[in-house]
Amino acid sequence: MFRLDHEAENAVRQRLGVLDADAFLARLEQLSFDIAGPLGQLYGSVTDTTRLVTDLVMDALEAAAARPALLRLLDRRREIDPGWFQRSRMIGYVCYADRFAGSLRGVRHHLDYLAELGVTYLHLMPLLQPRDGDSDGGYAVADYGAVDPRLGSMADLEVLAAELHGRGMALCIDLVLNHTAREHEWARKALAGDPACREMYLIYPDRTIPDAYEATLPEVFPDTAPGSFTEVPGLGWVWTTFHEYQWDLNYANPAVFRHMLATMLTLANRGVDVLRLDAAPFLWKRPGTDSQNQPEAHLLLQAFRALTRLAAPGLALKAEAIVGPEMLVQYLGAHDRYQPECDLAYDNQLMVMLWSALATRDVRLAGHALSRRRPAPAPTAWVSYLRCHDDIGWAVSDADAAAVGLGGFEHRRFLNEFFAGRLYAVVFSFGGIPLIYMGDELAMTNDPGWAGDPGQAHDNRWMHRPRMDWARAARRGDPASVEGRAFAALRGLARARQDLLALRSGGTTEILPTGSQSVLAYRRAHPRSAPFLSLTNFSDVSQAADSGIIARAGLRDARLAHASTVVDTGAPWTDPAPIELAPIELAPWSFAWFSGT
Ligand code: GLC
């Protein structure tokens, strides 16, 4: 086990004072295995890892010493309540700061709006200084130490974070850690011949190695950015998984790890609560593979998690890993045994299954695939979402498709040809943190003029990244308007969810069979609360679920906790009311939530 030497331990006591030093050393004792283990495996062959670990722990110490007092209080609260992000009151909202409100300052003026909707977790899309011109929506960062000046400054970010904390809300931002912009200082210095900066990237003198890798590499943007390497005059062939201006970092170099850790700690000290780790599966490359989800990528995340916990225990890490289900859950630490890794991860499988069920009016594939996956480890949480700023990758495995009599390829192609709908009731009740995509609360549509902007015309993801329509928002109180109905529906889900303790993350979600192949039924259970049952009709005709399902779900004294319109009365069931044990009739695309005792 790793131990600090006496000199370093004294440094901790001097830098932090008695109470905080004691807490820091206690954390170090607890985390030392999670720090030294992965780093030894990653870098043992290239460097003296005892030295490296000591340096990184000292970096964490400096960050801990610089951590503002209010954030230390938040840390203390979160160490007492490590499940702070698992509460059923956690409701997320994701937007681009400029598209939502012009700037970070502008966002502050709309916090009442978010609070009205029930939001407690605000994810702002990339906001660090990007390269000029096309920046893949901010995912090509030129300076990790500065905020995009069009959005504001680091000081504005701090003020926003403090204001959110004052309202009991958490702030999530993107951290693009797989690549930098080619305008980043390291890339510029590498171009100028600095050997240390060359080592920050993956650069090859000719096509030999790139060709060997490309034999097994899939392309991320085959139409707009084919290939995974870019020829840079004077340098050679640079690894560029995404666009030619996004240079992949070389995580086999411990200096890259150390710098990226420093960035994480700085952002945490500005008040950021959650870092969305962009493109996490791509961090480590291996010849003969697709260079995604490599064991070393997990080791990197484990070490990042342990070292950020050491300095800023209130910070959580969220994996953006849009990969197949067996690989996805590993980002939450579900390996042979639980190995702490990211605290949160996007549940892209649930997202895909909802669209699939809507398109086919048949929940059998969703039921099959969702019931056979490994559960998220108890200390972690999924982020449940319906859509985001990216395109949808159809994460339907051939095996799952075959199990319900479908062809995987044909089904994925069918889905590509299909469309959109209203599925937030599942997002709010499947057990993850629900994440609302900006504008969905107002039933906002795509941006019809997206292709008019020459900087964006080549990337059709801008189609569904419209600017916030505040005129629409002003009509949200009008129950006769579409936006009024959408807003009330989402706010209703948020309110109902807050009181349903079974919806906290950390419990279990079990898919139950129903008499209808269009009704998705699942039971949530949490050791600290009564069970919960959700029924959702994915078809355009009404469906009956047999009344026995309530007993099979183990709900005693079941009550209707929340529902959309039901077929028999046509009235919304918003208040808990005793239910009759007749077959439960669900109107087209409606849902009903039940809670027991
Ligand atoms: C992530 C982002 C996507 C971006 C890519 C490269 O997948 O969600 O928008 O293009 O990373 O940074």
Side-chain angles (χ1 to χ4, degrees):
M1 192 176 86
F2 170 81
R3 289 198 79 92
L4 281 185
D5 59 28
H6 266 302
E7 197 187 327
E9 215 174 289
N10 282 340
V12 174
R13 292 193 202 285
Q14 273 164 20
R15 294 294 280 126
L16 294 180
V18 182
L19 285 181
D20 282 348
D22 195 61
F24 185 93
L25 292 170
R27 282 201 294 278
L28 179 60
E29 199 176 312
Q30 194 196 18
L31 294 164
S32 65
F33 180 76
D34 294 340
I35 298 172
L39 291 172
Q41 290 186 62
L42 287 163
Y43 301 121
S45 61
V46 295
T47 194
D48 167 2
T49 38
T50 307
R51 180 77 258 152
L52 175 67
V53 171
T54 308
D55 288 347
L56 294 172
V57 169
M58 290 297 114
D59 291 350
L61 169 65
E62 287 312 309
R67 195 152 167 81
L70 282 175
L71 297 180
R72 292 192 202 194
L73 280 181
L74 208 56
D75 287 341
R76 192 174 304 177
R77 213 176 307 148
R78 289 176 182 171
E79 285 195 276
I80 292 167
D81 177 21
W84 64 271
F85 53 78
Q86 297 184 313
R87 301 275 166 265
S88 55
R89 65 180 283 281
M90 280 306 261
I91 287 154
Y93 191 86
V94 54
C95 59
Y96 292 91
D98 60 339
R99 301 202 149 228
F100 179 62
S103 66
L104 295 181
R105 262 172 209 232
V107 173
R108 279 167 52 209
H109 295 305
H110 291 295
L111 297 185
D112 282 343
Y113 174 80
L114 295 176
E116 186 184 331
L117 187 57
V119 171
T120 54
Y121 167 111
L122 176 61
H123 171 193
L124 296 177
M125 298 291 292
L127 48 72
L128 298 180
Q129 167 99 61
R131 71 191 293 267
D132 288 340
D134 192 4
S135 67
D136 187 17
Y139 286 105
V141 178
D143 183 354
Y144 290 79
V147 165
D148 181 347
R150 287 165 297 194
L151 300 177
S153 63
M154 272 294 175
D156 292 328
L157 186 67
E158 279 182 57
V159 173
L160 174 61
E163 205 159 318
L164 287 167
H165 292 157
R167 289 167 174 262
M169 295 182 182
L171 174 64
C172 169
I173 70 166
D174 275 79
L175 181 63
V176 187
L177 76 169
N178 175 66
H179 45 264
T180 74
R182 69 165 176 235
E183 287 73 15
H184 187 277
E185 190 190 355
W186 299 337
R188 284 192 282 108
K189 287 189 173 164
L191 267 169
D194 180 328
C197 286
R198 269 184 89 108
E199 287 301 308
M200 306 304 259
Y201 300 97
L202 296 152
I203 303 172
Y204 307 95
D206 54 41
R207 287 286 317 177
T208 317
I209 296 178
D211 281 343
Y213 272 112
E214 274 188 353
T216 52
L217 283 179
E219 290 175 297
V220 178
F221 299 125
D223 301 329
T224 51
S228 298
F229 297 84
T230 301
E231 188 173 18
V232 180
L235 213 51
W237 288 87
V238 180
W239 197 307
T240 54
T241 298
F242 296 91
H243 297 93
E244 28 90 36
Y245 53 77
Q246 289 163 306
W247 289 15
D248 286 47
L249 286 164
N250 172 20
Y251 275 93
N253 175 358
V256 170
F257 180 89
R258 189 170 181 187
H259 279 285
M260 204 44 88
L261 175 68
T263 299
M264 292 181 181
L265 296 176
T266 305
L267 292 170
N269 279 358
R270 300 293 187 170
V272 170
D273 302 278
V274 179
L275 287 172
R276 171 195 182 273
L277 304 181
D278 183 62
F282 295 86
L283 297 181
W284 196 273
K285 329 293 187 194
R286 172 162 285 117
T289 72
D290 62 0
S291 291
Q292 291 183 41
N293 311 302
Q294 296 300 309
E296 291 85 351
H298 291 285
L299 295 172
L300 288 164
L301 296 171
Q302 288 159 12
F304 277 132
R305 190 245 186 213
L307 283 156
T308 50
R309 276 293 200 282
L310 180 60
L315 180 76
L317 301 182
K318 173 168 70 168
E320 189 244 354
I322 309 306
V323 298
E326 316 76 47
M327 289 171 292
L328 177 58
V329 71
Q330 296 181 8
Y331 290 86
L332 291 175
H335 300 279
D336 292 343
R337 51 198 149 65
Y338 175 56
Q339 166 65 46
E341 197 165 320
C342 290
D343 306 286
L344 306 167
Y346 287 93
D347 191 349
N348 81 329
Q349 191 189 21
L350 174 65
M351 185 263 296
V352 165
M353 287 302 153
L354 298 182
W355 292 111
S356 168
L358 187 71
T360 58
R361 300 165 171 80
D362 185 334
V363 302
R364 282 175 298 173
L365 175 64
H368 173 78
L370 294 170
S371 58
R372 63 182 279 276
R373 64 180 184 170
R374 295 173 73 182
T380 67
W382 291 116
V383 173
S384 308
Y385 68 119
L386 191 52
R387 66 199 195 105
C388 72
H389 69 290
D390 280 331
D391 39 2
I392 299 179
W394 295 117
V396 176
S397 75
D398 289 346
D400 284 344
V404 295
L406 295 171
F409 176 77
E410 291 74 23
H411 188 56
R412 289 188 292 269
R413 192 174 54 193
F414 161 75
L415 291 172
N416 260 343
E417 286 157 13
F418 212 71
F419 67 105
R422 41 175 165 169
L423 301 165
Y424 268 105
V426 179
V427 165
F428 272 70
S429 59
F430 207 72
I433 299 173
L435 185 62
I436 302 168
Y437 186 62
M438 185 200 85
D440 283 359
E441 75 279 17
L442 300 171
M444 254 170 65
T445 55
N446 282 345
D447 179 359
W450 70 276
D453 182 331
Q456 298 171 352
H458 61 280
D459 185 345
N460 65 12
R461 292 177 298 172
W462 288 101
M463 190 191 306
H464 57 270
R465 298 172 180 174
R467 288 182 188 284
M468 182 67 169
D469 185 344
W470 289 105
R472 236 175 206 273
R475 295 191 294 271
R476 68 188 180 279
D478 174 4
S481 67
V482 173
E483 42 276 18
R485 278 170 24 222
F487 195 88
L490 280 192
R491 196 180 45 188
L493 288 172
R495 288 196 178 148
R497 182 182 143 85
Q498 281 170 19
D499 298 328
L500 291 165
L501 298 182
L503 298 188
R504 282 174 296 185
S505 305
T508 55
T509 306
E510 185 192 345
I511 306 284
L512 300 176
T514 69
S516 158
Q517 66 185 47
S518 297
V519 175
L520 182 68
Y522 48 91
R523 168 189 201 268
R524 281 284 306 163
H526 194 284
R528 303 293 302 272
S529 55
F532 163 95
L533 170 69
S534 163
L535 302 176
T536 311
N537 177 4
F538 279 80
S539 84
D540 54 353
V541 291
S542 36
Q543 298 284 335
D546 69 296
S547 55
I549 189 148
I550 292 189
R552 290 202 305 280
L555 269 66
R556 277 180 297 134
D557 303 328
R559 299 177 82 78
L560 186 68
H562 195 56
S564 52
T565 318
V566 288
V567 97
D568 52 354
T569 64
W573 286 355
T574 42
D575 294 320
I579 47 140
E580 312 261 326
L581 287 186
I584 302 157
E585 287 265 328
L586 293 161
W589 301 299
S590 71
F591 72 92
W593 290 357
F594 303 92
S595 59
T597 50

